[in-house]
Amino acid sequence: MRAFVITGPNHGEVQEVPEPEAGPGQAVVDVERAGVCGTDAEIFSGAMAYLETGDTVYPVRIGHEWCGTVSAVGPGTDESWLGKRVTGDTMLGCGHCPLCRKGRQHLCADRFEIGVRHGWPGALAEQLPVPASALVELPDSVDEVLGALVEPGGNALRSVRGAGLVPGSRVLVLGPGTIGLLVAQIAEAHGAEVHLLGRSDRSREFAAGLGFSRISTLETLDRTVDFDAVIDASNDVRMPALAAKLVTPGGRIVLIGLAGEPSLVDTRTLALKDVTAVGVLSASGGLQGTVDLFASGRVDPRPLVSATVGLEQVADVLRGQRPPGSGPGPKIHVDPRL
């Protein structure tokens, strides 16, 4: 089958690789759509932290935001999965350690991460092997575009949950990229008053086109507003400290964005304001809730996808090139069948 393979820093190509076989408890999924995200770009450039620790080594087959149809199951796997449209969890724990036994497999020290960690092949390929325990069924109302947005949506949903939002809560989202906009859409669906802070004119204009009206820059932000929660979905090293300053006493800050270098936060600010800081790693635990939100129509992130390309165009996308004719959204999707 065809798969996109990163062979070294700034080099990737489409290769013919062996088709996956479903092992015990596993399924093979025919991939219909996959997303490209910042983690993929970091692996491509060589900047990904896992490359330094040895958790990721070249060659790498990326792709952890995906949907498709189950075409085969292995021994001991429920055959009712056959023919179902699915997405799935990126984080595959060992299943035996204390964290896995508590349902927190995304924190397992020995976990695989599909398309990212310890060599589990990713979804930028015609087929993908996945443990059946990681699968989430998609209803007919969740199409290919939405299906491949469930994984980033799960990260966003967990961020909204971590912020403790209730109807009427005022939340500031730092960074209107894919995750930040998903956070904003989900927070609004939960009845929150959403504010956005972005650096580029393009990102702010796109957010406004989605219907958000409370959008500012660092220079124009009204610092007299009390924010019950601040969610950092940026990659700006300054934002976690800013979040701690802007959140109201007793409020919450949620950290889902990652900068390329350490972000410094004065813990005196957290302590003296009695702030709760929440870190979010992965969509684990948020996938089914995201599917339900998308299926209900309460959240429709389709406009975030600006273009869909084939495997041959992935290297250019990872280099930061926008496909010809692409729309204004921040997300690029890949159809490996093209």
Side-chain angles (χ1 to χ4, degrees), residues 243-251 267-276:
K245 288 181 179 179
L246 294 176
V247 72
T248 194
T267 57
R268 293 172 298 183
T269 302
L270 301 181
L272 294 174
K273 293 176 67 175
D274 203 9
V275 169
T276 299

Side-chain angles (χ1 to χ4, degrees), residues 12-129:
E13 60 190 22
V14 179
Q15 296 181 359
E16 289 288 334
V17 301
E19 294 180 354
E21 295 185 4
Q26 295 181 358
V28 171
V29 175
D30 292 345
V31 180
E32 297 171 355
R33 194 67 56 88
V36 177
C37 81
T39 298
D40 299 320
E42 288 182 351
I43 294 173
F44 184 75
S45 71
M48 174 65 175
Y50 283 171
L51 291 165
E52 295 183 11
T53 62
D55 291 306
T56 299
V57 296
Y58 297 117
V60 185
R61 286 166 48 187
I62 58 172
H64 58 277
E65 305 173 0
W66 56 271
C67 67
T69 301
V70 176
S71 59
V73 296
T77 306
D78 186 348
E79 293 188 359
S80 68
W81 281 112
L82 285 169
K84 288 184 176 178
R85 295 183 58 252
V86 295
T87 186
D89 201 344
T90 298
M91 305 300 211
L92 312 178
C94 71
H96 308 295
C97 71
L99 286 168
C100 284
R101 291 199 300 268
K102 293 177 182 177
R104 308 187 75 186
Q105 81 287 343
H106 65 294
L107 302 177
C108 172
D110 296 323
R111 70 185 180 274
F112 292 94
E113 296 180 21
I114 291 177
V116 178
R117 190 174 192 257
H118 288 173
W120 195 285
L124 294 192
E126 294 176 319
Q127 292 185 312
L128 172 71

Side-chain angles (χ1 to χ4, degrees), residues 42-319:
E42 288 182 351
I43 294 173
F44 184 75
S45 71
M48 174 65 175
Y50 283 171
L51 291 165
E52 295 183 11
T53 62
D55 291 306
T56 299
V57 296
Y58 297 117
V60 185
R61 286 166 48 187
I62 58 172
H64 58 277
E65 305 173 0
W66 56 271
C67 67
T69 301
V70 176
S71 59
V73 296
T77 306
D78 186 348
E79 293 188 359
S80 68
W81 281 112
L82 285 169
K84 288 184 176 178
R85 295 183 58 252
V86 295
T87 186
D89 201 344
T90 298
M91 305 300 211
L92 312 178
C94 71
H96 308 295
C97 71
L99 286 168
C100 284
R101 291 199 300 268
K102 293 177 182 177
R104 308 187 75 186
Q105 81 287 343
H106 65 294
L107 302 177
C108 172
D110 296 323
R111 70 185 180 274
F112 292 94
E113 296 180 21
I114 291 177
V116 178
R117 190 174 192 257
H118 288 173
W120 195 285
L124 294 192
E126 294 176 319
Q127 292 185 312
L128 172 71
V130 189
S133 59
L135 296 176
V136 176
E137 186 174 359
L138 298 177
D140 291 340
S141 56
V142 176
D143 61 14
E144 294 176 351
V145 177
L146 292 176
L149 286 168
V150 169
E151 196 278 341
N155 282 273
L157 177 57
R158 289 193 62 219
S159 299
V160 170
R161 289 172 176 170
L165 302 179
V166 297
S169 293
R170 183 179 290 125
V171 59
L172 174 64
V173 181
L174 307 176
T178 298
I179 296 295
L181 291 171
L182 283 163
V183 166
Q185 288 186 313
I186 293 171
E188 190 171 67
H190 282 76
E193 178 185 297
V194 176
H195 297 245
L196 285 158
L197 186 148
R199 288 183 295 184
S200 72
D201 292 340
R202 178 173 151 184
S203 67
R204 295 195 306 274
E205 289 170 3
F206 181 72
L210 294 178
F212 295 105
S213 59
R214 302 176 184 91
I215 306 170
S216 61
T217 65
L218 277 173
E219 293 73 27
T220 63
L221 179 67
D222 183 354
R223 308 219 175 189
T224 66
V225 175
D226 289 327
F227 295 108
D228 301 296
V230 180
I231 300 176
D232 177 21
S234 76
N235 60 1
D236 189 326
V237 69
R238 303 168 295 172
M239 291 300 102
L242 180 65
K245 288 181 179 179
L246 294 176
V247 72
T248 194
R252 288 179 168 238
I253 64 172
V254 179
L255 309 172
I256 187 168
L258 291 174
E261 56 187 280
S263 301
L264 302 181
V265 178
D266 190 339
T267 57
R268 293 172 298 183
T269 302
L270 301 181
L272 294 174
K273 293 176 67 175
D274 203 9
V275 169
T276 299
V278 179
V280 173
L281 172 68
S282 89
S284 300
L287 296 170
Q288 186 60 61
T290 302
V291 170
D292 295 341
L293 279 172
F294 290 178
S296 70
R298 293 175 62 201
V299 175
D300 183 5
R302 290 182 185 90
L304 273 60
V305 180
S306 64
T308 301
V309 301
L311 292 172
E312 300 287 353
Q313 289 75 52
V314 171
D316 289 339
V317 170
L318 292 171
R319 293 187 183 101

